[in-house]
Amino acid sequence: MSASIKTVLTPRESDIGNLVVRRVLPARAARLVGPFIFFDEMGPAVLPAGSGIDVLPHPHIGLATVTYLFDGTLMHHDSLGFRQKIVPGDVNWMTAGRGIVHSERSPDEDRPLEQPVHGIQTWVALPVEHEDTAPAFAHHAADTLPSLTRDGASVRVIAGTAFGLTSPVAVFSPTLYAYAEFAAGGQLALDAEHDERGVYLVDGELTIDGAPLAPATMAVLEPGASVSLASANGARVMLLGGAHLPGERFIEWNFVSSERAKIEAARNAWAAQTFGKVPGEENEWTRQPARKAQ
């Protein structure tokens, strides 16, 4: 392992029928990378014609959800009334703040045919001073995100700042979130602008300062030094991180908070169904799992 790599995270895989989900964060070796407290890769998979993804309405507090697709489509619908189809390259950034409810489904118009699905879903923990902010939703089309191509690598900045570019997505703390695609022989220098940095290899072949990274794993980098990313045969890579988020964060089901009491209040509100409703989906909801014995 290269001296520039602090640790390597291997995902926990879950098979949810037609779809494999790989969860990298949170991990014992790294609870957060910058503000990122949750990182899932879903797919790649092909859903049979006539089927689809149906994630029923469920609540969040204390975080922002970020959806980024490589393939397929999803329909976002939330308790603020926003309804937005997301396609590859777009960004859906939903700020939960003090509380929001949303569903995620395959769009009706795409269900009659086989549907590819492949993408990354992340949660960004909010700074303490913003945990109780008003919920909000923002959609940014792919062509509004800044990008660059050099030395055989193309980069799109999803959120925050990287490589001298700034995404239009509003963030709550210094953030690094970018998608990089390497051609064969491509190279990219990742500087030390951000204190905490993670490199996730979606697929292909990648080395970090000469050390190979296995697909579907995340290298958490040592702070303070630039590193060289290179691919002999091509790769797709997610870059993430940002400033260290001060204080402890608790995570339980879909809730993130610096205070356990806020999570308890959110659990009670969801159990009583006083959290808010997604228009047109008032009679559907996800049951929260029972707490594990301490």
Side-chain angles (χ1 to χ4, degrees), residues 9 12 23-27 30-31 33 36-39 218 240:
L9 307 179
R12 305 179 299 283
R23 180 156 302 165
V24 185
L25 292 174
R31 291 271 296 163
V33 179
F36 289 86
I37 196 169
F38 179 96
F39 185 103
M218 181 184 293
L240 67 151

Side-chain angles (χ1 to χ4, degrees), residues 148-155 162-165 181-183 185-191:
L148 63 83
T149 299
R150 65 185 182 213
D151 300 327
S154 297
V155 178
F163 309 102
L165 302 175
E181 192 167 331
F182 291 77
Q187 301 182 50
L188 187 66
L190 179 60
D191 64 24

Side-chain angles (χ1 to χ4, degrees), residues 22 39-45 67-74 86-91 116-122 156 158 177-181 200-203 235-239:
R22 300 174 185 85
F39 185 103
D40 266 8
E41 180 184 3
M42 52 182 182
T67 302
Y68 189 83
L69 297 178
F70 306 123
D71 207 358
T73 57
L74 279 175
I86 182 170
V87 301
D90 291 357
V91 175
V117 57
H118 190 199
I120 304 292
Q121 291 194 307
T122 58
R156 176 180 291 150
I158 299 169
Y177 197 31
Y179 168 61
E181 192 167 331
Y200 181 78
L201 178 55
V202 178
D203 51 34
R236 295 193 292 177
V237 177
M238 304 302 291
L239 308 173

Side-chain angles (χ1 to χ4, degrees), residues 129-274:
E129 63 270 25
H130 295 295
E131 279 189 335
D132 295 324
T133 193
F137 175 80
H139 176 80
H140 297 269
D143 61 7
T144 68
L145 303 176
S147 62
L148 63 83
T149 299
R150 65 185 182 213
D151 300 327
S154 297
V155 178
R156 176 180 291 150
V157 181
I158 299 169
T161 58
F163 309 102
L165 302 175
T166 300
S167 166
V169 177
V171 296
F172 290 87
S173 62
T175 299
L176 162 66
Y177 197 31
Y179 168 61
E181 192 167 331
F182 291 77
Q187 301 182 50
L188 187 66
L190 179 60
D191 64 24
E193 173 188 359
H194 297 282
D195 298 334
E196 299 181 0
R197 297 164 295 167
V199 178
Y200 181 78
L201 178 55
V202 178
D203 51 34
E205 179 273 338
L206 188 76
T207 60
I208 301 175
D209 285 347
L213 182 66
T217 61
M218 181 184 293
V220 179
L221 304 181
E222 292 284 359
S226 294
V227 298
S228 175
L229 310 179
S231 178
N233 301 306
R236 295 193 292 177
V237 177
M238 304 302 291
L239 308 173
L240 67 151
H244 174 73
L245 201 66
E248 188 172 7
R249 289 300 182 281
F250 302 105
I251 181 169
E252 186 174 326
W253 191 39
N254 297 317
F255 306 130
V256 170
S257 182
S258 62
E259 299 179 29
R260 290 192 184 276
K262 290 182 180 179
I263 291 179
E264 186 67 27
R267 285 186 62 97
N268 292 339
W270 187 246
Q273 284 295 293
T274 58

Side-chain angles (χ1 to χ4, degrees), residues 91-112:
V91 175
N92 270 10
W93 179 289
M94 184 185 76
T95 301
R98 58 178 175 260
I100 198 169
V101 180
H102 74 134
S103 65
E104 297 163 290
R105 303 177 188 266
S106 298
D108 292 342
E109 64 270 21
D110 296 335
R111 289 177 183 256

